[in-house]
Amino acid sequence: MNYEAKIKELLLLTGTHGASDLHIGVARKPMLRIDGVLVPVEQEPLLTPETSQGLIFALLTTEQKEKLVMKREIDFSFSLEEKARFRVNVYYQRGYIAAALRLIPWNIRTVEQLNLPPILHEFTKIQQGFFLVVGPAGQGKSSTLAALMDEINHTQAAHIITVEDPIEYLFAQDKSFISQREVGVDALNFHLALRSILRQDPDVIMVGEMRDTETISTALTAAETGHLVFSTLHTNSAMQTIDRIIDSFPPDQQGQVRSQLASGLVGVISQRLLPRLRGGLVPAYELMITNTAVRNLIREQKVYQIDLVIETGMQEGMISLNRSLANLVTQGEVSLDTALAYSLNPEELSLLLEHR
C-alpha cells in the first residue's frame, strides 16, 4: 500500500465530509467525527498494526519518529498541499500506534460566523488585561481565540505574539505584525517562551494553553505590565476557572495571585458545541465580564458567588450557560434533551424554560 497517498486521501475525505476529526487505530476502520458523532469510513478495511503505523508514519519526519518512540506520544501540525491543515496527536495504546487528527480550517472565521456574542469585539479593543476562553477539549476554544486575534490583526497596528503547541491557525499579516512561535520548534517550552516574550515588544500575547503554574504566573504578570493576554483553560465555567488558577499556586502565593486576577482579568467565556437540530454545531456559552462586583468577590475569596453576578449582569452583556441553552431551545436550534445534557444545572434550566 502507498501509505502517503492513502493518508492524504483520508485527510481530504475528512474535509469533504465536513468532519472535525479523523481517528486512526488498530482493529477499527478509520473514523470521522461529524457533528460531534464518530462515524466509520465504511469503504475502508479494518486497520492492522502495520497499516495503522504506515499511515501515521507517512505524516512524521525522522526527528518526529524518534521523539514518538522516546516520549510515546507527540503533538504537531500537518499541512496538506494548501488544501487543509491538521493538529495531530500520535500516541500508543495497548502497544500499538494510534492518532487523532483535528481539522483546522484555512479561513479564520469571525465572531459572527462562529455564532458568538458580539460583545466579544470589545475585548479586542482594550489596552491591557487577561481574557480566557475555557471549556472541555474539542469545544471550539482555538477557533474563538483565532477569531479575536485576527480581528486585532485587521483593525490595529499591533505586535501580536503567539505561543502554541503546535501552531494551529496561520494568520496572514494585515495591519498587525504577527510572530507565531511553536513550542518544540521555536521555543523549548511555554514558560521559557513567555519569559522572553516581554523583551520582544509585544502588544498582544496569545498563549495556546495554560498548562502549568509558571505559564499562568508569567501571563498574569504580562497582563499587569501593560499587555493584552489571551489564553485557554480546560475548565467548565468562569467560577471554576478562577478557582483552578488560584488553587494551582502554593498557599503562600495565593493571596498575590488573587490580587493579580482581581486587577488583571477582564473576562472569561466558557463554551460548548452542541449538535443543531438542522445539522452542524452551534455554541452555547457563559460569558463573565470582570466588573467591580467580580473583582471584589475574587479579592474577598467569595468566588462561589460569581454565578449570581453573571445571572444579574445581563445588561452589561453577561450571560449564564443555562440562559444561553434556554435561548437555543426557544429559537429551535437544539432539542430540550440536548440542552439538558450539556447543562451544569439541568433543574435550573428546566425552571428557566417553564417561565418562557
Side-chain angles (χ1 to χ4, degrees):
M1 181 191 292
N2 183 335
Y3 292 120
E4 192 171 326
K6 174 53 72 175
I7 191 65
K8 285 183 179 178
E9 181 187 321
L10 289 170
L11 293 176
L12 288 171
L13 195 70
T14 305
T16 55
H17 279 65
S20 61
D21 301 83
L22 167 66
H23 291 270
I24 294 170
V26 172
R28 298 299 299 266
K29 294 173 181 281
M31 306 278 281
L32 299 177
R33 188 177 291 281
I34 301 172
D35 294 344
V37 179
L38 279 176
V39 181
V41 182
E42 291 295 355
Q43 67 267 29
E44 294 295 328
L46 295 178
L47 294 171
T48 65
E50 181 188 2
T51 54
S52 181
Q53 178 172 305
L55 291 170
I56 294 166
F57 272 21
L59 301 169
L60 300 175
T61 64
T62 303
E63 186 182 352
Q64 286 169 335
K65 289 174 190 172
E66 290 170 358
K67 186 177 177 182
L68 171 64
V69 170
M70 183 174 65
K71 296 195 171 181
R72 311 311 280 176
E73 60 183 309
I74 183 173
D75 288 300
F76 62 98
S77 53
F78 181 83
S79 295
L80 181 62
E81 304 165 355
E82 301 293 315
K83 294 176 183 172
R85 186 171 166 80
F86 292 82
R87 183 183 76 203
V88 187
N89 177 266
V90 180
Y91 58 97
Y92 281 83
Q93 61 90 25
R94 295 177 62 187
Y96 300 119
I97 292 175
L101 302 96
R102 166 69 49 85
L103 177 64
I104 303 167
W106 279 109
N107 295 325
I108 298 172
R109 287 173 290 174
T110 64
V111 165
E112 283 73 24
Q113 289 167 337
L114 292 171
N115 295 301
L116 292 169
I119 196 168
L120 286 187
H121 296 301
E122 300 306 313
F123 293 101
T124 68
K125 298 172 185 174
I126 56 184
Q127 291 301 303
Q128 72 177 85
F130 190 28
F131 184 81
L132 285 163
V133 182
V134 307
Q139 301 301 310
K141 297 188 295 295
S142 297
S143 298
T144 300
L145 269 189
L148 297 173
M149 292 304 98
D150 210 40
E151 181 168 330
I152 294 171
N153 175 34
H154 294 308
T155 57
Q156 300 175 36
H159 184 196
I160 300 170
I161 302 181
T162 75
V163 184
E164 304 170 71
D165 182 19
I167 288 173
E168 297 189 35
Y169 288 88
L170 297 175
F171 298 101
Q173 300 189 81
D174 186 10
K175 289 189 175 179
S176 289
F177 183 88
I178 305 178
S179 306
Q180 290 187 260
R181 304 193 68 198
E182 182 165 319
V183 172
V185 178
D186 306 307
L188 288 177
N189 55 47
F190 275 108
H191 175 49
L192 288 174
L194 272 174
R195 224 170 59 183
S196 63
I197 215 168
L198 299 181
R199 296 194 294 272
Q200 293 154 12
D201 188 34
D203 299 296
V204 179
I205 299 166
M206 187 196 95
V207 186
E209 188 182 336
M210 291 287 159
R211 289 191 180 174
D212 52 52
T213 306
E214 290 84 2
T215 303
I216 296 170
S217 178
T218 313
L220 283 169
T221 301
E224 259 189 332
T225 54
H227 305 89
L228 183 55
V229 182
F230 294 84
S231 192
T232 70
L233 261 180
H234 291 295
T235 46
N236 288 317
S237 65
M239 185 177 75
Q240 192 185 95
T241 299
I242 293 165
D243 276 338
R244 174 78 58 83
I245 289 173
I246 293 167
D247 290 346
S248 69
F249 287 83
D252 63 319
Q253 294 177 29
Q254 289 181 5
Q256 181 191 342
V257 172
R258 202 172 280 112
S259 175
Q260 286 181 297
L261 270 179
S263 60
L265 188 66
V266 292
V268 179
I269 185 166
S270 169
Q271 59 186 66
R272 312 282 186 284
L273 293 177
L274 280 64
R276 241 185 184 136
L277 284 170
R278 64 172 186 263
L281 299 169
V282 64
Y285 44 80
E286 172 198 79
L287 178 62
M288 182 202 80
I289 300 168
T290 311
N291 58 13
T292 303
V294 171
R295 289 192 185 93
N296 288 337
L297 291 176
I298 295 173
R299 286 194 186 99
E300 294 166 11
Q301 302 183 46
K302 294 179 181 176
V303 173
Y304 58 89
Q305 293 182 18
I306 281 177
D307 284 354
L308 181 61
V309 176
I310 294 172
E311 191 59 47
T312 56
M314 291 175 67
Q315 286 188 323
E316 295 178 60
M318 297 196 224
I319 186 169
S320 68
L321 179 62
N322 269 349
R323 285 204 178 269
S324 177
L325 289 167
N327 290 342
L328 291 174
V329 173
T330 305
Q331 293 158 10
E333 291 279 16
V334 303
S335 70
L336 174 59
D337 286 347
T338 297
L340 290 169
Y342 279 82
S343 174
L344 300 177
N345 189 339
E347 294 82 7
E348 182 191 71
L349 176 58
S350 297
L351 282 171
L352 266 177
L353 287 164
E354 275 178 27
H355 292 94
R356 291 199 170 197

